[in-house]
Amino acid sequence: MSVTVRVPAKVNVQLAVGAARPDGFHDLANVFLAVGLYDEITVTPADELRITCTGPGADRVPLDTTNLAARAALALAARHGIDPRVHIHIAKDIPVAGGMAGGSADGAGALLACDTLWSLNSPQSELLSLCAELGSDVPFSLLGGAALGVGRGEQLTPLAVGGAFHWVFAVADGGLSTPTVFQEFDRLAAGKAIPPPTPDPALLDALRTGDAAALADTLSNDLQPAALSLRPSLAATLTTGTTAGALAALVSGSGPTTAFLTKDEETATQVATALQSSGTCHTARPTTSPARGATVVGLDRV
Ligand SMILES: C[C@](O)(CO)[C@H](O)COP(=O)(O)OP(=O)(O)OC[C@H]1O[C@@H](n2ccc(N)nc2=O)[C@H](O)[C@@H]1O
Ligand SMILES: Nc1ncnc2c1ncn2[C@@H]1O[C@H](COP(=O)(O)OP(=O)(O)OP(=O)(O)O)[C@@H](O)[C@H]1O
């Protein structure tokens, strides 16, 4: 038997970052939106715990037990006293180390796939608490849609979204390390007063009403200056997309993927074409949001 789960990427439409905490994390007001780029995780019983990965950037994905998908399978097996020997295959389409929660998606996907394979039927609350142990972004990968994340981003409240938003994601050459971007945030913030992070009511309203122009006016990412400081070339990518007709542009999470919100699908195609031909990114990917969270898409009983 094998089980396949599909998991979306995310963009942070608001990422308000507070001061560094004693445990090394930062308190956040993190408004997550799931977008239609997906990894697919397939789990099959095997003689040993084994990981394979295909797709763009697969050569940069660890195939040992540091992989979040392996850690998820091991954590679920340990919780239930189950033999964790499975083959986990990751069909990657989410940019690796791109600020779109690709590894987190694989962690959430492996958790749901193993839960299904092992017929555990765990309640969602139990899966969400296991996700939070794996990483700050992992609970949202399971949930999908849109949500406000507080604490280090793992404490979620689902948000209503009133319509589809059109995006283009410009994938950069190479990745950025999330801890390094937070460290750069701390360096840039040194000596400044950092207000406690709070969600922007106007942004939550724009999501609720599905108003792309209002969302464009309220997008914000406190990690953007840090990502631009580490990767100055992203400024040219952002300008290319807005010049080509995007309503707004921002760095996705910790970067280096950049996100462009457009008024409709036609403009998204136009912005993607301009970005692709500009040479300021590796690949431009048009897509929509919100997207469903981790979902079982294949159950093969042979
Ligand atoms: C930038 C975001 O993607 C926005 O959604 C997330 O905050 C990062 O979430 P993630 O990749 O799941 O991060 P984790 O695996 O939990 O943490 C990796 C590292 O990022 C930094 N980190 C992460 C989350 C947070 N709220 N504060 C932090 O300072 C810490 O250095 C931490 O050791
Ligand atoms: N399944 C996985 N897929 C990709 N990277 C993984 C995975 N498991 C562990 N990693 C490690 O995590 C690092 C970050 O990769 P990931 O694709 O999750 O970054 P990201 O999308 O920027 O994360 P986030 O947006 O959650 O901060 C990689 O460089 C890799 O070493």
Side-chain angles (χ1 to χ4, degrees), residues 16-29 136 150-154 178-179 181-187 189 194 197 223:
V17 181
R21 312 191 310 200
D23 66 1
F25 285 91
H26 295 70
D27 276 321
L28 306 176
S136 311
V150 298
R152 60 185 166 84
E154 86 288 15
T178 303
V181 177
F182 275 103
Q183 275 162 25
E184 183 66 2
F185 170 88
D186 291 339
R187 194 184 69 79
I194 303 174
L223 290 183

Side-chain angles (χ1 to χ4, degrees), residues 10 12 39 53 60-62 66-70 90 92 94-107 137-138 176-178 182 252-256:
K10 59 82 177 163
N12 309 87
D39 281 0
C53 183
R60 289 184 283 138
V61 174
T66 63
N67 191 299
L68 273 172
I90 302 170
K92 255 221 169 285
I94 303 175
V96 175
M100 299 192 75
S104 305
D106 303 342
D137 280 344
V138 185
L176 273 177
S177 142
T178 303
F182 275 103
S252 178
S254 52

Side-chain angles (χ1 to χ4, degrees), residues 138-258:
V138 185
F140 180 72
S141 297
L142 188 78
L143 201 64
L148 170 65
V150 298
R152 60 185 166 84
E154 86 288 15
Q155 298 162 29
L156 297 179
T157 306
L159 296 171
V161 182
F165 294 103
H166 297 272
W167 296 89
V168 180
F169 291 91
V171 183
D173 286 310
L176 273 177
S177 142
T178 303
T180 306
V181 177
F182 275 103
Q183 275 162 25
E184 183 66 2
F185 170 88
D186 291 339
R187 194 184 69 79
L188 295 174
K192 296 181 190 150
I194 303 174
T198 50
D200 175 357
L203 177 128
L204 301 183
D205 236 40
L207 278 180
R208 194 165 39 235
T209 54
D211 183 336
L215 184 62
D217 286 343
T218 49
L219 291 172
S220 74
N221 178 1
D222 286 353
L223 290 183
Q224 180 157 318
L228 282 169
S229 165
L230 295 168
R231 193 69 68 80
S233 62
L234 295 180
T237 321
L238 293 169
T239 307
T240 302
T242 43
T243 306
L247 294 169
L250 86 171
V251 169
S252 178
S254 52
T257 307
T258 42

